Amino acid sequence: MSDKTARVVTYGCQQNENDSERIRGMLLEMGYILSDSADADVVIFNTCAVRDNAEKRVYGNIGALKAFKDKKPGMLIGICGCMAQQQHVAQHVKKRFPFVDFVFGTGALHRLPQILYSAEKQRVFDTEMKDGEIVENLPHNRQSTVTATVSVMYGCNNFCTYCVVPHVRGRERSREPGDILREVEGLAAQGCREVTLLGQNVNSYQGIGFPELLERVSKVDGIGRVRFISSHPKDISDALIGTMANNPKICNQLHLPFQAGSNRVLTDMNRRYTREQYLDIIGRVKGKMPDVALTSDIIVGFPTETEEDFAQTLDLVREVEFDMLFTFIYSKRKGTPAEKLPPALTEAQIKANFDRLVAVQNAISLKKNKALESTVQRVLVEGYSKSNESALTGRTEGAKIVNFIGDKSLIGEFAEVRITHAATWSLTGEIV
Ligand code: SAH
Ligand code: SF4
Protein backbone atom coordinates (compact mmCIF):
# COMPACT_ATOMS: atom_id res chain seq x y z
CA MET A 1 0.00 0.00 0.00
CA SER A 2 3.04 2.23 -0.02
CA ASP A 3 1.92 4.55 -2.84
CA LYS A 4 -1.65 5.04 -1.64
CA THR A 5 -2.69 8.58 -0.78
CA ALA A 6 -5.00 9.88 1.95
CA ARG A 7 -6.67 13.25 2.44
CA VAL A 8 -8.25 14.55 5.66
CA VAL A 9 -10.62 17.53 5.48
CA THR A 10 -11.42 19.26 8.78
CA TYR A 11 -14.43 21.38 9.75
CA GLY A 12 -14.99 23.16 13.04
CA CYS A 13 -13.04 23.81 16.20
CA GLN A 14 -9.48 23.31 17.40
CA GLN A 15 -10.43 20.01 19.03
CA ASN A 16 -11.40 18.75 15.58
CA GLU A 17 -8.11 20.04 14.13
CA ASN A 18 -6.34 18.17 16.93
CA ASP A 19 -8.31 14.99 16.15
CA SER A 20 -7.40 15.37 12.45
CA GLU A 21 -3.72 15.57 13.38
CA ARG A 22 -4.12 12.21 15.09
CA ILE A 23 -6.04 10.77 12.13
CA ARG A 24 -3.17 11.86 9.86
CA GLY A 25 -0.70 10.36 12.32
CA MET A 26 -2.47 7.00 12.14
CA LEU A 27 -2.73 7.17 8.32
CA LEU A 28 1.04 7.80 8.08
CA GLU A 29 1.74 4.85 10.36
CA MET A 30 -0.47 2.73 8.13
CA GLY A 31 1.76 3.65 5.18
CA TYR A 32 -0.40 6.22 3.41
CA ILE A 33 1.05 9.32 1.79
CA LEU A 34 -0.81 12.45 2.91
CA SER A 35 -2.28 14.44 0.01
CA ASP A 36 -4.61 17.34 -0.74
CA SER A 37 -5.78 15.87 -4.00
CA ALA A 38 -9.55 15.52 -4.48
CA ASP A 39 -9.23 11.93 -5.70
CA ALA A 40 -6.90 10.61 -3.00
CA ASP A 41 -7.32 6.87 -2.37
CA VAL A 42 -8.80 7.59 1.06
CA VAL A 43 -10.77 10.77 1.81
CA ILE A 44 -11.96 11.45 5.37
CA PHE A 45 -14.23 14.34 6.34
CA ASN A 46 -13.83 15.22 10.02
CA THR A 47 -17.06 17.11 10.58
CA CYS A 48 -18.63 19.72 12.88
CA ALA A 49 -22.22 19.67 14.15
CA VAL A 50 -22.33 22.92 16.13
CA ARG A 51 -24.22 24.83 13.43
CA ASP A 52 -26.33 23.93 10.43
CA ASN A 53 -24.18 25.71 7.82
CA ALA A 54 -21.17 23.51 8.71
CA GLU A 55 -23.34 20.42 8.20
CA LYS A 56 -24.66 21.68 4.85
CA ARG A 57 -21.12 22.31 3.60
CA VAL A 58 -20.13 18.74 4.47
CA TYR A 59 -23.10 17.26 2.59
CA GLY A 60 -22.29 19.46 -0.43
CA ASN A 61 -18.63 18.48 -0.45
CA ILE A 62 -19.36 14.77 -0.01
CA GLY A 63 -21.83 14.92 -2.89
CA ALA A 64 -19.10 16.45 -5.06
CA LEU A 65 -16.85 13.42 -4.40
CA LYS A 66 -19.21 11.04 -6.19
CA ALA A 67 -17.87 12.06 -9.60
CA PHE A 68 -14.31 11.18 -8.51
CA LYS A 69 -15.39 7.87 -7.08
CA ASP A 70 -17.26 7.00 -10.30
CA LYS A 71 -13.92 7.34 -12.14
CA LYS A 72 -11.95 5.59 -9.41
CA PRO A 73 -14.15 2.95 -7.78
CA GLY A 74 -11.40 1.77 -5.40
CA MET A 75 -11.50 5.08 -3.55
CA LEU A 76 -12.60 4.93 0.11
CA ILE A 77 -14.71 7.82 1.43
CA GLY A 78 -15.38 8.29 5.14
CA ILE A 79 -17.09 10.70 7.53
CA CYS A 80 -16.16 11.13 11.19
CA GLY A 81 -16.42 13.71 13.98
CA CYS A 82 -19.40 15.38 15.60
CA MET A 83 -21.87 15.05 12.70
CA ALA A 84 -21.09 11.36 12.36
CA GLN A 85 -21.80 10.86 16.05
CA GLN A 86 -25.46 11.87 15.55
CA GLN A 87 -27.61 8.86 14.75
CA HIS A 88 -29.89 10.77 12.37
CA VAL A 89 -26.86 11.84 10.32
CA ALA A 90 -25.45 8.31 10.18
CA GLN A 91 -28.87 7.06 8.98
CA HIS A 92 -29.11 9.83 6.38
CA VAL A 93 -25.63 9.02 5.04
CA LYS A 94 -26.44 5.32 4.96
CA LYS A 95 -29.49 5.95 2.74
CA ARG A 96 -28.58 9.01 0.66
CA PHE A 97 -24.84 8.63 0.14
CA PRO A 98 -24.33 4.98 -0.83
CA PHE A 99 -20.80 5.77 -2.05
CA VAL A 100 -19.66 6.70 1.48
CA ASP A 101 -17.74 3.65 2.73
CA PHE A 102 -17.31 4.34 6.43
CA VAL A 103 -18.75 6.53 9.19
CA PHE A 104 -17.26 6.68 12.67
CA GLY A 105 -18.06 8.74 15.74
CA THR A 106 -15.89 10.84 18.04
CA GLY A 107 -15.19 7.89 20.35
CA ALA A 108 -13.97 5.59 17.57
CA LEU A 109 -10.98 7.63 16.39
CA HIS A 110 -8.41 5.08 17.59
CA ARG A 111 -10.18 2.28 15.70
CA LEU A 112 -9.42 3.90 12.32
CA PRO A 113 -7.01 1.13 11.21
CA GLN A 114 -9.64 -1.62 11.72
CA ILE A 115 -12.37 0.57 10.22
CA LEU A 116 -10.35 1.16 7.03
CA TYR A 117 -9.46 -2.52 6.80
CA SER A 118 -13.12 -3.55 7.08
CA ALA A 119 -14.30 -0.79 4.73
CA GLU A 120 -12.34 -2.43 1.88
CA LYS A 121 -14.92 -5.24 2.05
CA GLN A 122 -18.17 -3.66 3.26
CA ARG A 123 -19.61 -0.37 4.55
CA VAL A 124 -18.74 0.36 8.19
CA PHE A 125 -20.88 2.38 10.64
CA ASP A 126 -19.07 2.68 13.98
CA THR A 127 -21.04 5.37 15.81
CA GLU A 128 -21.96 3.88 19.15
CA MET A 129 -21.22 6.36 21.95
CA LYS A 130 -19.00 4.76 24.59
CA ASP A 131 -18.63 7.28 27.35
CA GLY A 132 -15.69 7.79 29.62
CA GLU A 133 -12.94 6.47 27.41
CA ILE A 134 -9.59 8.23 26.91
CA VAL A 135 -7.12 6.70 24.48
CA GLU A 136 -3.52 7.83 24.97
CA ASN A 137 -0.47 7.63 22.72
CA LEU A 138 -2.05 7.86 19.29
CA PRO A 139 0.46 9.06 16.69
CA HIS A 140 0.12 12.77 16.01
CA ASN A 141 1.01 14.51 12.75
CA ARG A 142 1.31 18.13 13.86
CA GLN A 143 0.47 21.01 11.52
CA SER A 144 3.06 23.31 13.06
CA THR A 145 6.37 22.74 14.78
CA VAL A 146 6.19 26.06 16.66
CA THR A 147 2.75 26.00 18.27
CA ALA A 148 0.54 23.08 19.25
CA THR A 149 -2.81 22.29 20.80
CA VAL A 150 -2.98 19.76 23.63
CA SER A 151 -6.31 18.35 24.79
CA VAL A 152 -6.55 18.27 28.57
CA MET A 153 -10.13 17.08 28.78
CA TYR A 154 -12.83 15.77 26.49
CA GLY A 155 -16.61 16.13 26.52
CA CYS A 156 -18.93 18.54 28.29
CA ASN A 157 -21.42 18.30 31.18
CA ASN A 158 -23.02 21.70 30.83
CA PHE A 159 -25.91 21.12 28.46
CA CYS A 160 -26.45 24.68 27.34
CA THR A 161 -29.91 24.39 25.79
CA TYR A 162 -28.79 25.30 22.24
CA CYS A 163 -25.70 23.13 22.08
CA VAL A 164 -25.09 19.73 20.53
CA VAL A 165 -21.56 19.27 21.93
CA PRO A 166 -22.48 17.28 25.11
CA HIS A 167 -24.57 14.99 22.90
CA VAL A 168 -21.79 14.24 20.42
CA ARG A 169 -18.69 14.44 22.64
CA GLY A 170 -20.05 12.71 25.74
CA ARG A 171 -19.42 13.53 29.42
CA GLU A 172 -16.39 15.37 30.76
CA ARG A 173 -13.26 13.34 31.32
CA SER A 174 -9.85 14.74 32.21
CA ARG A 175 -6.53 13.37 31.03
CA GLU A 176 -3.95 12.49 33.68
CA PRO A 177 -1.47 15.32 34.32
CA GLY A 178 1.42 12.90 33.68
CA ASP A 179 0.11 12.09 30.18
CA ILE A 180 -0.39 15.79 29.39
CA LEU A 181 3.10 16.72 30.63
CA ARG A 182 4.73 13.90 28.66
CA GLU A 183 2.99 15.16 25.53
CA VAL A 184 4.13 18.75 26.17
CA GLU A 185 7.71 17.61 26.90
CA GLY A 186 7.72 15.70 23.61
CA LEU A 187 6.49 18.78 21.76
CA ALA A 188 9.08 21.04 23.40
CA ALA A 189 11.85 18.59 22.48
CA GLN A 190 10.78 18.99 18.84
CA GLY A 191 10.98 22.77 18.97
CA CYS A 192 7.45 23.71 20.01
CA ARG A 193 7.42 26.98 21.96
CA GLU A 194 3.72 27.57 22.63
CA VAL A 195 0.95 25.20 23.69
CA THR A 196 -2.78 25.87 23.81
CA LEU A 197 -4.55 23.62 26.29
CA LEU A 198 -7.93 22.50 24.95
CA GLY A 199 -11.18 21.55 26.63
CA GLN A 200 -14.85 22.53 26.32
CA ASN A 201 -14.57 23.93 29.83
CA VAL A 202 -10.99 23.76 31.10
CA ASN A 203 -11.99 25.19 34.47
CA SER A 204 -13.63 21.93 35.42
CA TYR A 205 -10.38 19.98 34.86
CA GLN A 206 -10.43 17.29 37.57
CA GLY A 207 -7.73 16.09 39.95
CA ILE A 208 -4.99 18.68 40.51
CA GLY A 209 -7.25 21.43 39.11
CA PHE A 210 -6.64 23.68 36.13
CA PRO A 211 -4.46 26.41 37.73
CA GLU A 212 -1.99 23.78 38.98
CA LEU A 213 -1.98 22.06 35.58
CA LEU A 214 -1.17 25.41 33.95
CA GLU A 215 1.72 25.93 36.39
CA ARG A 216 3.17 22.49 35.64
CA VAL A 217 2.86 22.88 31.85
CA SER A 218 4.51 26.31 32.00
CA LYS A 219 7.55 24.74 33.75
CA VAL A 220 8.30 22.38 30.86
CA ASP A 221 11.72 23.30 29.45
CA GLY A 222 11.49 25.09 26.12
CA ILE A 223 7.84 26.10 26.47
CA GLY A 224 7.70 29.89 26.36
CA ARG A 225 3.95 30.44 26.27
CA VAL A 226 0.82 28.71 27.46
CA ARG A 227 -2.74 29.54 26.36
CA PHE A 228 -6.03 27.75 26.92
CA ILE A 229 -9.61 27.53 25.54
CA SER A 230 -12.44 27.53 26.53
CA SER A 231 -13.38 28.77 29.96
CA HIS A 232 -16.94 28.75 31.24
CA PRO A 233 -17.74 31.89 33.26
CA LYS A 234 -19.61 29.87 35.89
CA ASP A 235 -16.39 28.03 36.85
CA ILE A 236 -13.72 30.69 36.61
CA SER A 237 -11.83 31.09 39.89
CA ASP A 238 -9.67 33.74 41.52
CA ALA A 239 -6.97 31.05 41.68
CA LEU A 240 -6.98 30.88 37.87
CA ILE A 241 -6.92 34.66 37.49
CA GLY A 242 -4.04 34.84 40.02
CA THR A 243 -2.07 32.13 38.21
CA MET A 244 -2.49 33.92 34.88
CA ALA A 245 -1.42 37.24 36.37
CA ASN A 246 1.60 35.89 38.27
CA ASN A 247 3.08 33.42 35.83
CA PRO A 248 4.78 35.26 32.95
CA LYS A 249 4.59 32.23 30.66
CA ILE A 250 0.80 32.04 30.88
CA CYS A 251 -0.46 34.54 28.33
CA ASN A 252 -2.56 37.44 29.55
CA GLN A 253 -5.25 36.43 27.16
CA LEU A 254 -8.67 35.06 28.03
CA HIS A 255 -11.41 33.65 25.85
CA LEU A 256 -14.53 33.85 27.98
CA PRO A 257 -17.76 33.17 26.05
CA PHE A 258 -20.77 35.06 27.42
CA GLN A 259 -23.26 34.16 24.62
CA ALA A 260 -25.93 36.76 25.53
CA GLY A 261 -26.20 39.98 27.50
CA SER A 262 -29.69 39.49 28.90
CA ASN A 263 -30.25 37.55 32.12
CA ARG A 264 -33.53 36.15 30.84
CA VAL A 265 -31.83 34.71 27.74
CA LEU A 266 -28.89 33.43 29.81
CA THR A 267 -31.37 31.53 31.98
CA ASP A 268 -33.13 30.12 28.92
CA MET A 269 -29.71 29.06 27.61
CA ASN A 270 -28.93 27.31 30.94
CA ARG A 271 -25.65 29.22 31.19
CA ARG A 272 -25.80 29.49 35.00
CA TYR A 273 -24.33 32.98 35.42
CA THR A 274 -25.81 36.45 35.16
CA ARG A 275 -24.70 39.45 33.19
CA GLU A 276 -23.64 41.04 36.48
CA GLN A 277 -21.53 38.02 37.45
CA TYR A 278 -19.91 38.02 34.03
CA LEU A 279 -19.03 41.71 34.28
CA ASP A 280 -17.70 41.14 37.79
CA ILE A 281 -15.30 38.44 36.47
CA ILE A 282 -14.15 40.77 33.69
CA GLY A 283 -13.54 43.48 36.29
CA ARG A 284 -11.42 41.12 38.39
CA VAL A 285 -9.46 39.94 35.35
CA LYS A 286 -8.77 43.51 34.20
CA GLY A 287 -7.89 44.47 37.78
CA LYS A 288 -5.10 41.86 37.89
CA MET A 289 -4.08 42.14 34.21
CA PRO A 290 -4.72 45.62 32.82
CA ASP A 291 -3.19 44.59 29.46
CA VAL A 292 -5.29 41.41 29.11
CA ALA A 293 -6.61 40.54 25.64
CA LEU A 294 -10.24 39.44 25.87
CA THR A 295 -12.29 37.47 23.37
CA SER A 296 -15.73 35.91 23.57
CA ASP A 297 -18.40 33.89 21.75
CA ILE A 298 -21.86 35.38 21.21
CA ILE A 299 -25.03 33.87 19.82
CA VAL A 300 -27.46 36.26 18.11
CA GLY A 301 -31.09 35.19 17.69
CA PHE A 302 -31.53 32.60 20.41
CA PRO A 303 -35.29 31.81 20.12
CA THR A 304 -36.39 33.76 23.21
CA GLU A 305 -34.17 36.79 22.43
CA THR A 306 -36.18 39.98 21.82
CA GLU A 307 -34.89 43.34 20.53
CA GLU A 308 -34.56 44.52 24.15
CA ASP A 309 -32.50 41.44 25.04
CA PHE A 310 -30.25 41.96 22.04
CA ALA A 311 -29.73 45.60 23.03
CA GLN A 312 -28.23 44.27 26.27
CA THR A 313 -25.77 42.14 24.30
CA LEU A 314 -24.65 45.21 22.36
CA ASP A 315 -24.41 47.15 25.58
CA LEU A 316 -22.19 44.49 27.19
CA VAL A 317 -19.92 44.41 24.13
CA ARG A 318 -19.49 48.18 24.30
CA GLU A 319 -18.80 48.04 28.03
CA VAL A 320 -16.20 45.24 28.04
CA GLU A 321 -14.42 46.22 24.79
CA PHE A 322 -13.28 42.78 23.69
CA ASP A 323 -10.27 42.52 21.42
CA MET A 324 -12.18 40.21 19.13
CA LEU A 325 -15.47 38.32 19.03
CA PHE A 326 -16.66 35.07 17.54
CA THR A 327 -20.26 35.88 16.61
CA PHE A 328 -22.79 33.28 15.54
CA ILE A 329 -26.40 33.34 14.41
CA TYR A 330 -28.37 30.82 16.45
CA SER A 331 -28.76 27.51 14.65
CA LYS A 332 -31.44 25.03 15.67
CA ARG A 333 -29.90 21.68 16.68
CA LYS A 334 -31.79 18.39 16.70
CA GLY A 335 -32.31 16.89 20.15
CA THR A 336 -31.51 20.08 22.13
CA PRO A 337 -34.12 21.71 24.42
CA ALA A 338 -34.01 25.01 22.49
CA GLU A 339 -35.16 23.18 19.35
CA LYS A 340 -38.75 23.36 20.61
CA LEU A 341 -38.78 27.11 21.34
CA PRO A 342 -40.60 29.40 18.89
CA PRO A 343 -38.45 32.29 17.62
CA ALA A 344 -39.26 35.77 18.99
CA LEU A 345 -37.70 37.60 16.02
CA THR A 346 -37.79 37.12 12.26
CA GLU A 347 -34.75 35.94 10.32
CA ALA A 348 -34.38 39.43 8.85
CA GLN A 349 -34.39 41.03 12.33
CA ILE A 350 -31.79 38.54 13.55
CA LYS A 351 -29.56 39.17 10.55
CA ALA A 352 -29.82 42.93 11.07
CA ASN A 353 -28.85 42.52 14.74
CA PHE A 354 -25.94 40.30 13.78
CA ASP A 355 -24.67 42.93 11.34
CA ARG A 356 -24.99 45.66 13.97
CA LEU A 357 -23.02 43.58 16.46
CA VAL A 358 -20.26 42.90 13.94
CA ALA A 359 -20.03 46.59 13.06
CA VAL A 360 -19.82 47.65 16.73
CA GLN A 361 -17.14 45.04 17.43
CA ASN A 362 -15.08 45.82 14.32
CA ALA A 363 -14.78 49.43 15.44
CA ILE A 364 -13.66 48.29 18.90
CA SER A 365 -11.16 45.77 17.48
CA LEU A 366 -9.66 48.46 15.26
CA LYS A 367 -9.45 50.94 18.15
CA LYS A 368 -7.74 48.38 20.39
CA ASN A 369 -5.29 47.40 17.66
CA LYS A 370 -4.54 51.07 16.87
CA ALA A 371 -3.55 51.53 20.50
CA LEU A 372 -0.71 49.06 19.84
CA GLU A 373 0.83 51.20 17.08
CA SER A 374 4.41 52.26 17.99
CA THR A 375 4.57 49.76 20.86
CA VAL A 376 7.10 46.92 20.83
CA GLN A 377 5.51 43.48 21.08
CA ARG A 378 7.11 40.13 21.81
CA VAL A 379 6.07 37.94 18.89
CA LEU A 380 6.44 34.18 18.55
CA VAL A 381 7.35 33.73 14.88
CA GLU A 382 5.22 30.92 13.43
CA GLY A 383 6.12 30.89 9.74
CA TYR A 384 5.62 32.71 6.47
CA SER A 385 2.72 35.13 6.11
CA LYS A 386 -0.28 33.73 4.20
CA SER A 387 -0.81 36.88 2.15
CA ASN A 388 2.84 37.68 1.47
CA GLU A 389 5.35 34.83 1.11
CA SER A 390 8.30 37.16 1.65
CA ALA A 391 7.03 38.22 5.08
CA LEU A 392 6.97 36.35 8.38
CA THR A 393 3.98 35.99 10.65
CA GLY A 394 3.56 35.44 14.35
CA ARG A 395 1.41 36.33 17.32
CA THR A 396 1.65 38.70 20.25
CA GLU A 397 0.99 37.56 23.80
CA GLY A 398 -2.59 38.74 23.23
CA ALA A 399 -2.76 36.36 20.20
CA LYS A 400 -2.87 39.16 17.61
CA ILE A 401 -1.40 38.33 14.23
CA VAL A 402 1.66 40.41 13.28
CA ASN A 403 3.22 40.37 9.80
CA PHE A 404 6.74 41.72 9.34
CA ILE A 405 9.84 41.33 7.18
CA GLY A 406 12.51 39.13 8.72
CA ASP A 407 14.87 36.25 8.14
CA LYS A 408 13.42 32.76 8.08
CA SER A 409 15.88 31.72 10.81
CA LEU A 410 13.52 33.57 13.18
CA ILE A 411 10.78 30.95 12.71
CA GLY A 412 10.28 29.21 16.03
CA GLU A 413 11.90 32.08 17.97
CA PHE A 414 10.58 35.05 19.91
CA ALA A 415 11.24 38.42 18.24
CA GLU A 416 10.74 41.99 19.42
CA VAL A 417 8.58 43.72 16.81
CA ARG A 418 7.54 47.37 16.69
CA ILE A 419 3.96 47.76 15.43
CA THR A 420 3.90 50.17 12.48
CA HIS A 421 0.34 49.72 11.28
CA ALA A 422 -2.83 48.29 12.82
CA ALA A 423 -5.87 46.96 10.96
CA THR A 424 -9.05 45.34 12.30
CA TRP A 425 -7.75 41.76 12.06
CA SER A 426 -3.98 42.01 12.04
CA LEU A 427 -0.94 44.15 12.70
CA THR A 428 2.11 45.04 10.61
CA GLY A 429 5.48 45.67 12.20
CA GLU A 430 9.26 45.81 11.93
CA ILE A 431 11.95 43.95 13.85
CA VAL A 432 13.68 46.13 16.46
N1 SAH B 1 -17.42 24.83 25.11
C1 SAH B 1 -17.24 26.09 24.54
C2 SAH B 1 -17.91 26.30 23.20
C3 SAH B 1 -17.97 25.24 22.18
S1 SAH B 1 -19.00 25.59 20.81
C4 SAH B 1 -17.82 27.11 25.48
O1 SAH B 1 -18.85 26.87 26.10
O2 SAH B 1 -17.25 28.16 25.54
C5 SAH B 1 -18.35 27.16 20.28
C6 SAH B 1 -19.38 28.22 20.21
O3 SAH B 1 -20.34 27.91 19.22
C7 SAH B 1 -20.18 28.46 21.45
O4 SAH B 1 -19.52 29.22 22.41
C8 SAH B 1 -21.41 29.17 20.92
O5 SAH B 1 -21.22 30.56 20.87
C9 SAH B 1 -21.52 28.62 19.51
N2 SAH B 1 -22.67 27.71 19.39
C10 SAH B 1 -22.85 26.53 20.01
N3 SAH B 1 -24.06 26.01 19.66
C11 SAH B 1 -24.62 26.89 18.79
C12 SAH B 1 -25.85 26.92 18.07
N4 SAH B 1 -26.76 25.95 18.20
N5 SAH B 1 -26.09 27.96 17.24
C13 SAH B 1 -25.18 28.95 17.11
N6 SAH B 1 -24.02 28.98 17.77
C14 SAH B 1 -23.72 27.96 18.61
FE1 SF4 C 1 -21.80 23.62 24.41
FE2 SF4 C 1 -22.28 24.91 26.68
FE3 SF4 C 1 -20.76 22.70 26.70
FE4 SF4 C 1 -19.82 24.94 25.61
S1 SF4 C 1 -20.36 24.65 27.76
S2 SF4 C 1 -19.73 22.89 24.73
S3 SF4 C 1 -21.64 25.85 24.72
S4 SF4 C 1 -22.93 22.81 26.20
Side-chain angles (χ1 to χ4, degrees):
M1 90 144 58
S2 63
D3 56 347
K4 288 217 171 169
T5 54
R7 167 175 169 234
V8 182
V9 185
T10 314
Y11 300 81
C13 66
Q14 296 201 50
Q15 181 56 57
N16 255 20
E17 293 287 352
N18 188 284
D19 287 344
S20 284
E21 290 176 347
R22 291 186 289 169
I23 293 171
R24 290 196 189 92
M26 286 186 275
L27 289 166
L28 281 174
E29 277 205 351
M30 289 155 73
Y32 286 96
I33 300 161
L34 297 179
S35 153
D36 286 330
S37 140
D39 69 341
D41 296 295
V42 171
V43 179
I44 300 178
F45 287 90
N46 186 11
T47 62
C48 171
V50 168
R51 283 169 293 274
D52 187 50
N53 48 8
E55 293 203 351
K56 286 222 174 77
R57 268 211 322 277
V58 169
Y59 284 134
N61 292 345
I62 293 168
L65 276 186
K66 182 166 186 311
F68 291 100
K69 183 142 179 180
D70 285 344
K71 280 195 208 124
K72 189 175 171 182
M75 214 175 147
L76 285 179
I77 299 174
I79 306 175
C80 66
C82 292
M83 263 175 88
Q85 190 62 60
Q86 303 178 95
Q87 292 316 315
H88 72 272
V89 172
Q91 288 311 318
H92 182 71
V93 171
K94 201 174 242 174
K95 266 205 226 119
R96 302 280 164 203
F97 296 91
F99 56 93
V100 169
D101 302 282
F102 58 99
V103 176
F104 61 100
T106 55
L109 203 69
H110 57 287
R111 285 196 289 277
L112 179 64
Q114 294 100 293
I115 292 169
L116 269 180
Y117 181 76
S118 309
E120 302 259 7
K121 290 167 229 111
Q122 59 187 29
R123 298 180 86 193
V124 178
F125 287 82
D126 184 348
T127 58
E128 200 196 321
M129 177 76 107
K130 289 196 199 72
D131 226 354
E133 218 181 1
I134 294 184
V135 178
E136 292 292 345
N137 300 321
L138 290 182
H140 216 134
N141 176 244
R142 299 281 182 177
Q143 279 176 336
S144 161
T145 51
V146 182
T147 63
T149 58
V150 174
S151 298
V152 301
M153 55 190 297
Y154 301 101
C156 179
N157 291 351
N158 291 320
F159 290 95
C160 301
T161 57
Y162 49 81
C163 184
V164 81
V165 171
H167 307 267
V168 294
R169 288 277 180 181
R171 293 299 68 71
E172 280 177 6
R173 53 229 183 257
S174 300
R175 288 178 72 197
E176 290 297 329
D179 290 326
I180 295 168
L181 287 168
R182 250 189 308 284
E183 182 173 343
V184 175
E185 283 159 8
L187 286 164
Q190 287 161 28
C192 174
R193 293 287 161 261
E194 175 185 303
V195 288
T196 301
L197 306 184
L198 295 183
Q200 293 303 338
N201 174 13
V202 290
N203 298 312
S204 55
Y205 180 75
Q206 294 302 302
I208 60 173
F210 192 61
E212 174 62 20
L213 181 70
L214 275 175
E215 293 284 6
R216 293 193 194 177
V217 168
S218 75
K219 290 203 181 82
V220 171
D221 254 357
I223 294 299
R225 271 182 184 166
V226 186
R227 308 183 190 276
F228 55 91
I229 49 167
S230 272
S231 294
H232 194 302
K234 79 177 169 57
D235 294 323
I236 209 151
S237 65
D238 281 326
L240 177 72
I241 299 171
T243 300
M244 290 176 72
N246 296 333
N247 185 325
K249 285 194 185 171
I250 302 169
C251 293
N252 285 358
Q253 178 226 337
L254 184 64
H255 180 66
L256 195 64
F258 78 87
Q259 314 295 1
S262 140
N263 283 335
R264 205 174 50 78
V265 174
L266 286 172
T267 302
D268 293 346
M269 288 177 160
N270 190 32
R271 288 292 289 179
R272 289 177 278 178
Y273 53 83
T274 61
R275 165 195 185 88
E276 292 74 24
Q277 284 164 335
Y278 185 86
L279 288 170
D280 177 62
I281 299 166
I282 295 293
R284 279 185 277 149
V285 169
K286 285 184 176 172
K288 291 262 186 208
M289 293 169 272
D291 62 339
V292 68
L294 293 169
T295 55
S296 193
D297 293 349
I298 299 181
I299 297 176
V300 179
F302 184 80
T304 60
E305 185 175 79
T306 62
E307 294 289 4
E308 292 73 41
D309 294 316
F310 174 72
Q312 296 192 43
T313 291
L314 268 190
D315 193 62
L316 195 150
V317 166
R318 289 200 183 98
E319 179 167 346
V320 174
E321 299 204 307
F322 294 96
D323 289 79
M324 200 180 61
L325 283 181
F326 299 88
T327 45
F328 308 104
I329 288 183
Y330 168 75
S331 172
K332 193 194 274 196
R333 303 286 70 204
K334 228 187 174 70
T336 60
E339 186 192 0
K340 305 274 184 299
L341 299 172
L345 299 179
T346 64
E347 268 183 46
Q349 285 172 310
I350 292 169
K351 178 71 174 55
N353 286 344
F354 180 83
D355 291 345
R356 274 166 72 201
L357 175 62
V358 170
V360 166
Q361 179 55 39
N362 284 354
I364 296 171
S365 293
L366 183 60
K367 179 180 121 183
K368 296 206 94 177
N369 285 352
K370 285 276 175 208
L372 295 177
E373 280 181 349
S374 306
T375 66
V376 173
Q377 299 287 321
R378 186 163 176 259
V379 171
L380 176 60
V381 188
E382 294 180 19
Y384 296 103
S385 153
K386 269 194 197 118
S387 50
N388 174 2
E389 277 277 306
S390 64
L392 297 175
T393 190
R395 282 176 195 269
T396 65
E397 175 167 352
K400 300 195 187 216
I401 296 171
V402 186
N403 296 312
F404 59 97
I405 303 297
D407 191 74
K408 69 171 192 286
S409 63
L410 286 171
I411 294 173
E413 305 292 332
F414 287 96
E416 301 289 318
V417 178
R418 177 172 293 107
I419 306 305
T420 52
H421 178 74
T424 310
W425 308 112
S426 67
L427 310 168
T428 312
E430 61 194 16
I431 291 270
V432 293

